[in-house]
Amino acid sequence: MKADSPNFAIVHLYATGAYGSKHGLLQVGVLSLQKGNAVLREWFFNPEVAFGRSVQQLSKISREQAKSAPTWQEQKGEVQAHLAHFTHVFFFHERHEQTWLKQYLLAGMATPPVCADLALLSSFFLPHLNLMEIGDVVARSTAAQKKPASQPLHVALAALHTHLFQLLEVLLQKIPSTPENEYGEPTLFMQLLRQVLDLGSIFMGSAWRTLQAAAEHVETLEPLDLHWLTPPATRNVPVLPFHLRELFTSWLPTVPEAPLVKPRVDIAVASDGLIQDALHAWYKKYNLPERYAQLQYAQFCSKALTAKGTFVAEAGTGTGKTMGYLMAAAELLRLNPGRKVVVATATKNLQEQVMQGEIPRLRFKGGLHAHLRPAIVKGKNNYVCVSALLDLYDELVVQEKGTVREGLSWLYLVLRVHHTQGEVEEIPQNIKAILPDTYRLLTEANAQEVCVPKLCLEPAKCTYARHMEQAYAADIIVTNHHKLLQLPPKLTDTIQHCIIDEADQFPDFARSALSLNFNIGVLEARLLRPLLGTEKRKGFLTVVAERVAHHVETETSLLVLDEIDSIHRDCDTIRASGELIKALPIPGGEQRWQEEISLQEEGRWVKREFSADIEQALQELLTAVQFVAGKIDRILKLLKKPEDKTFSRLETYKEKAAEFAETLQKITSDFPARKWIHVLEKNGQNWAVCKMPYYLQDEMEKLQHVYPSLLFTSATLYVAGNTQYFRNQLGRQEPFEQEVRYLSPFNYEQQEKVHAVVPAFIPCYEHKMAQAQKQNWLQTSMETLLKCIVALNGRTLVLFTSRRDMEDAYRWLHPRLPAYDIELLKQEGTSLWEIRRFRQEEHSVLLGLDRMWSGVDFPGVTLSQVIVFRLPNPSLGNPLVAHRREVEGALFWSKFYYPASQHKLRQGFGRLVRREKDKGAFVVLDSRLVHTARMQHLKDELPVDLTPFRASDELQHWYLEELLPLLKLRTEWERREISS
């Protein structure tokens, strides 16, 4: 029976496996927050299934203890009876543990407690922390570090307790409250807070009152002064959610002015001895073993950065590439004050890893490079515009057009400005789920679209400008390949030294950065809908018409209204032209404009080209967009009232229309062209066109001119023992100034670390195979895939070249893996959560596409097997590949096609062994590697021999008798009692 007064607790679950009703839950911990008396209760249960080493290490529960423990059904009543004492509980949401909380802990209770999700509150109010799992909370908890407990469950509960205090402090003390409209009524901020808690609660309730009452009782471990809990009922405070115009200045820190040092013309070169001494100091600081290959590599990078020309260095897995080139850059900067180095990585994730992981370790206190000033440079689209946020504030709040949910989304964006200086790149899934309006508001406030310096209302507080100021003041700038080619001259003029990491991916990113793109969905969202309005929202043209009718003299008013009517007609033309392209019988996906499409006409198959239809529709659309820009300009000249905020917004829409028109004009101006690839992409109800460059040599010459010292580096730059394929991609004819290759220190064959096999009994895949043959191939492939995964009890990364294949595999595996207690994960977007979950949960399998072939790191037993579902041959339907085939003729196959396959297969192999002690299996399910002569060359890029198995029984015998003993998993297999 519930207590009459509020009673609070923190709940943490440690679960493993498939989380089914019979087994999976292993531990439950409940820490009560009764005033002056913290009580800890915990239970662990017999999971009714064998569990692996990772569970034993994390839970500190032996298999014998778990086997003798009661089952969930036997102790369910006791756990629920204890929880019934609490009116409210706080927990940290993790996907699978939340399933248990809902379905097995709270379900069936007569009066379950109200739940408040600390992960949701953290995502909303502390977005900079990016707490994705309980391990993140423990890692940053000083309480957990200062008070080590015998059980990890205790540590997690202590960390959650600390984090609850931090949240309370931010929620109720650091964020200014707002006045109450009427006595006893919650303020708007309190309404928003209650809304976010209610949306995240499993059981709805007055969550704000819950939090307020909870804070009064949370005084057991680390008491706080909570007299400020109740907001003062006074009107002498800023009105509405935040007094933004005053707070932004204090929220956005000023960039400290860096001393201006004019670099010397000559360069002081770090000797091999200085590089060696710097690396040895770093090894000593972190108690690391010396790496001879890393020393050689760092010394080469140092020479390349101080010489003129383009240099190439391949550093195999285990070399320590990132710290090697960073050490060389740091020594150059130490010896040459005033110089700058830019490091470009392939993806934003790698960019963050260098900035947040590697450089801080280089700048340790008392070290040679403690005063190194780093900065990160991302695209403008990663930031929110303060000026646009103020416009949204006026629209949603002052003009009272917004709902509470929209106000909550707006508040979230403001908090991101506060905590992340306006960065909005990674918005967590839980925020996406409860606040779908966030993305619409973000589109309207995105700096890439709306940040026009001459129209900015708050130039001193512009988030992107401040962000760039940090880069101007830095010594080492970290960016990505795409942004490298778009850095402003003000920055590039100060840099002479450039390192391009993951360089094997640079040609594709460079081509993307140099492309021109036009998307009809973006035009609709950023121009047409704001101008014309929707069923729920009045269009801006209507707002202007109403103001003109009441505030402008009659003759001018009539002229303006005529222009507005004409703009409406032009917008109808834009939409009609967009519908024409959408209606073309072209399949979804990407294809060149001139590509012939197969379709049925009068009962027979014919091939047709639709480039003329595309060009005509785009030309009509272009003309209409140009008319819109011109007519808005005429309205502005007629009104002559730039001081009026409503009218001044017209300037923004004129700029947008002109930008869309200019882009479309450039795309359509030179079709067809050998040096450009014109692409149409259809996706559902949306379509886009782009023009990408085919040749890159001119851009590479420009890059060399901007950065006289240019270093390309990667773990996979060589194919067939040379860099010819990489040079072909860049369009470079002559060799680089110097090329070096440092092989991986891991000797795979002598140490028998990796076994590579091909199930040759699987039918060969053919693109045009009959439906019955394709079904047989798919069924055999899936059955073999399942056996390989089950044999290793998860611990597997499966790499795909086709999203359709990945989705088919996910649907096939999803109902089957729970029987083996193996968790199934699939790449979704950036997949940050899935990547971290795969690292955390040993008995899991991750299905991945392009980005999983390179740039991800899974050291240890969590990845003991990499499976390639289909050989990574380039798709001949890809626009770039199709254009290459047309331009290069017979040379296409040897110059691009076969080397691309070899290169990607080698990248996939590189995912398996990341550390010296790693070992495992590399399995290629594509039997063409054995049976098809033109695929034989692929084996040459692998550092181990491939063993074919002609029958399923042979593959099974190899797993049981060779691989499992090598990985010391044979005992685990026998304990699982799986029928072979």
Side-chain angles (χ1 to χ4, degrees):
M1 184 174 178
K2 283 193 185 300
D4 294 332
S5 59
N7 208 349
F8 308 95
I10 294 173
V11 172
H12 176 60
L13 311 178
Y14 177 78
T16 182
Y19 315 101
S21 58
K22 184 179 179 182
H23 56 72
L25 184 64
L26 193 63
Q27 283 178 286
V28 179
V30 181
L31 178 65
S32 67
L33 301 175
Q34 297 170 354
K35 188 173 182 178
N37 183 25
V39 178
L40 171 66
R41 286 291 306 274
E42 66 173 315
W43 298 263
F44 67 90
F45 306 95
N46 184 334
E48 303 182 66
V49 68
F51 54 85
R53 289 171 294 181
S54 62
V55 174
Q56 187 175 358
Q57 290 167 0
L58 289 171
S59 67
K60 304 298 184 186
I61 295 175
S62 67
R63 298 188 185 98
E64 291 71 23
Q65 286 177 300
K67 192 172 183 179
S68 61
T71 66
W72 166 246
Q73 293 299 327
E74 291 171 340
Q75 208 139 15
K76 173 181 177 181
E78 181 181 332
V79 178
Q80 292 182 332
H82 184 71
L83 284 174
H85 288 90
F86 304 103
T87 56
H88 303 82
V89 297
F90 298 91
F91 76 105
F92 193 89
H93 165 105
E94 290 190 80
R95 287 187 198 174
H96 304 289
E97 280 75 2
Q98 190 195 41
T99 301
W100 259 97
L101 184 70
K102 288 181 178 179
Q103 297 182 8
Y104 304 118
L105 273 175
L106 302 179
M109 292 181 65
T111 53
V114 176
C115 294
D117 184 354
L118 296 179
L120 179 63
L121 291 173
S122 296
S123 296
F124 190 89
F125 291 104
L126 301 171
H128 61 298
L129 296 182
N130 193 26
L131 303 178
M132 298 174 64
E133 57 192 34
I134 188 66
D136 298 329
V137 184
V138 172
R140 36 180 325 278
S141 168
T142 54
Q145 294 165 4
K146 290 178 180 177
K147 302 176 181 179
S150 59
Q151 300 290 347
L153 190 72
H154 302 184
V155 178
L157 286 166
L160 288 175
H161 181 275
T162 304
H163 190 57
L164 176 59
F165 273 114
Q166 294 169 339
L167 272 167
L168 286 171
E169 186 178 11
V170 170
L171 295 177
L172 304 176
Q173 187 178 42
K174 290 188 175 179
I175 296 177
S177 60
T178 60
E180 299 191 30
N181 297 324
E182 296 180 16
Y183 179 75
E185 287 296 315
T187 64
L188 177 57
F189 172 70
M190 300 310 169
Q191 292 177 36
L192 294 175
L193 176 58
R194 182 168 62 195
Q195 183 78 355
V196 81
L197 286 168
D198 283 350
L199 287 169
S201 295
I202 296 174
F203 295 89
M204 304 297 282
S206 180
W208 160 244
R209 305 293 181 192
T210 300
L211 193 60
Q212 200 173 32
E216 295 171 356
H217 291 78
V218 180
E219 298 178 359
T220 52
L221 297 182
E222 295 178 13
L224 290 178
D225 180 9
L226 304 175
H227 71 274
W228 38 264
L229 265 171
T230 306
T234 173
R235 295 192 179 275
N236 296 324
V237 290
V239 296
L240 297 172
F242 291 97
H243 201 274
L244 266 177
R245 299 172 196 276
E246 292 181 8
L247 287 180
F248 267 141
T249 302
S250 61
W251 275 10
L252 294 173
T254 57
V255 179
E257 291 189 9
L260 295 176
V261 179
K262 188 174 181 179
R264 300 184 315 182
V265 175
D266 61 317
I267 301 176
V269 180
S271 66
D272 288 351
L274 285 177
I275 296 292
Q276 183 173 357
D277 292 343
L279 268 176
H280 281 180
W282 186 75
Y283 292 146
K284 184 177 180 181
K285 169 65 180 177
Y286 295 103
N287 194 27
L288 297 172
E290 295 186 9
R291 298 186 189 182
Y292 180 66
Q294 186 179 46
L295 173 60
Q296 286 186 305
Y297 171 75
Q299 290 170 341
F300 173 81
C301 291
S302 177
K303 292 181 176 67
L305 288 175
T306 52
K308 302 290 185 183
T310 303
F311 299 81
V312 166
E314 178 182 288
T317 303
T319 304
K321 170 172 59 71
T322 305
M323 187 52 66
Y325 68 66
L326 284 178
M327 188 64 73
E331 278 295 278
L332 182 151
L333 295 170
R334 183 176 70 85
L335 298 175
N336 298 273
R339 289 189 176 269
K340 295 178 183 289
V341 175
V342 61
V343 175
T345 66
T347 63
K348 293 172 184 174
N349 292 334
L350 290 170
Q351 186 180 359
E352 291 284 353
Q353 180 181 325
V354 171
M355 185 68 182
Q356 305 298 335
E358 303 294 345
I359 291 181
R361 298 179 71 210
L362 181 65
R363 299 171 64 229
F364 61 86
K365 187 176 181 180
L368 294 172
H369 313 113
H371 302 294
L372 192 68
R373 295 168 301 177
I376 191 166
V377 174
K378 298 183 180 181
K380 203 172 183 180
N381 63 311
N382 293 299
Y383 294 86
V384 69
C385 173
V386 173
S387 182
L389 267 185
L390 293 173
D391 284 340
L392 285 172
Y393 174 87
D394 292 337
E395 179 183 330
L396 297 176
V397 179
V398 178
Q399 300 173 24
E400 299 181 344
K401 292 183 178 179
T403 63
V404 170
R405 189 183 287 266
E406 288 176 315
L408 197 58
S409 294
W410 177 86
L411 175 61
Y412 174 72
L413 294 179
V414 171
L415 287 168
R416 289 201 72 95
V417 171
H418 178 23
H419 290 295
T420 69
Q421 296 190 45
E423 188 174 332
V424 289
E425 181 184 357
E426 291 294 342
I427 296 180
Q429 289 288 345
N430 48 10
I431 295 295
K432 294 178 185 178
I434 69 166
L435 297 175
D437 296 305
T438 303
Y439 279 89
R440 181 184 64 78
L441 298 184
L442 181 57
T443 298
E444 296 182 27
N446 186 272
Q448 179 70 37
E449 304 304 326
V450 300
C451 185
V452 182
K454 65 181 180 181
L455 303 177
C456 187
L457 300 177
E458 301 288 338
K461 302 165 190 146
C462 175
T463 54
Y464 186 70
R466 285 172 176 260
H467 170 72
M468 291 305 298
E469 287 297 329
Q470 290 179 325
Y472 300 141
D475 303 311
I476 185 165
I477 297 102
V478 182
T479 187
N480 55 66
H481 294 171
H482 194 282
K483 187 63 179 175
L484 178 68
L485 298 176
Q486 300 174 341
L487 293 177
K490 181 180 176 181
L491 184 57
T492 58
D493 288 347
T494 66
I495 306 171
Q496 292 188 326
H497 315 277
C498 177
I499 301 169
I500 299 180
D501 193 7
E502 304 297 329
D504 54 294
Q505 300 180 56
F506 179 74
D508 288 335
F509 281 106
R511 190 168 278 108
S512 173
L514 298 168
S515 297
L516 293 169
N517 299 276
F518 175 88
N519 188 303
I520 191 65
V522 175
L523 175 71
E524 178 74 33
R526 296 174 183 171
L527 184 65
L528 300 189
R529 276 203 295 268
L531 286 177
L532 305 180
T534 63
E535 293 180 359
K536 296 182 179 180
R537 184 158 298 183
K538 191 182 296 184
F540 189 67
L541 289 176
T542 304
V543 173
V544 173
E546 291 172 352
R547 288 190 62 105
V548 165
H550 291 92
H551 299 88
V552 179
E553 51 92 12
T554 306
E555 184 176 351
T556 302
S557 174
L558 291 174
L559 291 172
V560 171
L561 293 176
D562 283 344
E563 294 289 358
I564 289 175
D565 288 340
S566 183
I567 292 174
H568 275 280
R569 291 192 293 273
D570 292 328
C571 290
D572 290 339
T573 301
I574 293 171
R575 284 175 168 167
S577 301
E579 289 298 322
L580 284 176
I581 293 180
K582 191 189 303 182
L584 292 175
I586 298 175
E590 293 182 336
Q591 53 270 313
R592 296 182 303 160
W593 294 6
Q594 67 266 42
E595 210 68 51
E596 290 186 333
I597 307 298
S598 297
L599 58 138
Q600 272 192 319
E601 289 184 355
E602 298 179 355
R604 63 191 184 91
W605 286 95
V606 297
K607 288 189 174 182
R608 278 196 57 194
E609 183 184 313
F610 292 94
S611 57
D613 303 85
I614 296 170
E615 282 191 278
Q616 182 179 346
L618 290 177
Q619 191 58 51
E620 292 174 359
L621 194 154
L622 168 62
T623 302
V625 175
Q626 289 172 330
F627 283 165
V628 170
K631 289 167 185 177
I632 293 177
D633 188 49
R634 285 200 289 274
I635 291 174
L636 286 166
K637 291 176 180 177
L638 285 168
L639 292 174
K640 299 178 183 177
K641 287 191 175 183
E643 72 281 355
D644 188 308
K645 188 173 182 180
T646 302
F647 296 141
S648 67
R649 282 184 64 188
L650 280 171
E651 186 80 25
T652 303
Y653 293 118
K654 184 195 79 171
E655 294 284 342
K656 285 184 182 180
E659 184 180 341
F660 280 121
E662 182 184 8
T663 300
L664 199 52
Q665 173 73 44
K666 290 178 179 178
I667 291 175
T668 57
S669 62
D670 53 4
F671 174 80
R674 182 185 177 92
K675 66 178 183 178
W676 294 102
I677 308 170
H678 290 77
V679 179
L680 169 68
E681 180 181 7
K682 291 180 70 177
N683 183 12
Q685 297 301 306
N686 195 25
W687 60 264
V689 289
C690 86
K691 181 175 79 171
M692 70 172 72
Y694 178 64
Y695 299 106
L696 293 178
Q697 53 263 51
D698 290 345
E699 291 302 325
M700 293 305 101
E701 290 176 6
K702 292 178 185 177
L703 193 68
Q704 182 72 81
H705 178 73
V706 173
Y707 306 112
S709 301
L710 182 60
L711 170 64
F712 287 110
T713 185
S714 175
T716 52
L717 277 177
Y718 280 62
V719 176
N722 59 65
T723 64
Q724 184 63 55
Y725 173 58
F726 181 56
R727 284 194 281 126
N728 290 342
Q729 288 182 297
L730 295 178
R732 186 183 176 104
Q733 302 302 319
E734 68 280 3
F736 298 103
E737 269 66 30
Q738 189 174 354
E739 303 171 3
V740 295
R741 188 181 195 186
Y742 300 99
L743 298 177
S744 171
F746 305 144
N747 192 323
Y748 300 99
E749 291 189 331
Q750 287 186 10
Q751 298 175 9
E752 294 187 348
K753 297 167 69 71
V754 177
H755 289 219
V757 301
V758 180
F761 55 84
I762 296 177
C764 286
Y765 175 84
E766 295 295 339
H767 178 62
K768 295 183 178 180
M769 66 174 67
Q771 185 60 35
Q773 292 176 307
K774 186 173 184 179
Q775 187 59 39
N776 182 38
W777 163 79
L778 186 62
Q779 183 68 23
T780 309
S781 298
M782 293 300 177
E783 289 175 353
T784 307
L785 176 62
L786 178 63
K787 289 180 180 179
C788 295
I789 292 170
V790 171
L792 264 69
N793 202 7
R795 305 181 175 100
T796 300
L797 171 66
V798 188
L799 297 173
F800 296 87
T801 57
S802 156
R803 179 165 291 278
R804 178 179 295 179
D805 285 350
M806 185 178 77
E807 296 293 345
D808 287 344
Y810 184 83
R811 284 191 293 270
W812 199 89
L813 293 170
H814 189 266
R816 293 171 170 84
L817 285 181
Y820 302 98
D821 216 33
I822 296 172
E823 186 175 340
L824 179 61
L825 304 167
K826 179 183 66 169
Q827 181 178 340
E828 299 284 358
T830 58
S831 283
L832 290 180
W833 188 89
E834 285 76 16
I835 288 171
R836 296 174 74 170
R837 183 68 184 180
F838 183 62
R839 288 193 183 114
Q840 177 190 40
E841 178 54 54
E842 184 177 342
H843 304 303
S844 61
V845 54
L846 175 60
L847 313 183
L849 282 163
D850 294 331
R851 68 182 300 269
M852 295 297 177
W853 287 78
S854 62
V856 290
D857 199 0
F858 303 110
V861 294
T862 188
L863 178 56
S864 298
Q865 179 172 239
V866 169
I867 299 178
V868 173
F869 190 76
R870 241 194 312 147
L871 289 173
N873 298 319
S875 169
L876 296 178
N878 179 281
L880 173 60
V881 176
H883 202 79
R884 274 180 174 160
R885 189 178 182 186
E886 185 176 289
V887 171
E888 303 293 340
L891 292 175
F892 161 75
W893 301 98
S894 60
K895 191 175 179 181
F896 288 105
Y897 186 83
Y898 295 134
S901 303
Q902 290 174 280
H903 178 256
K904 194 155 189 175
L905 189 65
R906 185 174 160 216
Q907 284 183 319
F909 180 87
R911 297 311 97 213
L912 183 59
V913 177
R914 307 303 298 173
R915 301 292 184 270
E916 188 174 356
K917 294 183 179 180
D918 290 350
K919 50 192 173 182
F922 184 71
V923 182
V924 181
L925 293 185
D926 197 330
S927 62
R928 290 178 296 175
L929 197 57
V930 175
H931 300 303
T932 306
R934 67 177 185 275
M935 303 290 182
Q936 298 294 314
H937 66 283
L938 292 173
K939 297 185 290 186
D940 298 337
E941 283 303 304
L942 299 178
V944 295
D945 292 331
L946 277 158
T947 303
F949 291 112
R950 307 290 174 177
S952 178
D953 290 346
E954 291 181 18
L955 177 66
Q956 182 173 296
H957 182 269
W958 171 76
Y959 268 106
L960 295 181
E961 302 303 326
E962 293 189 40
L963 184 63
L964 292 182
L966 170 70
L967 301 177
K968 299 181 181 178
L969 295 176
R970 182 59 189 261
T971 304
E972 179 184 284
W973 168 268
E974 293 170 350
R975 190 174 60 250
R976 291 162 64 202
E977 299 179 349
I978 296 175
S979 173
S980 58

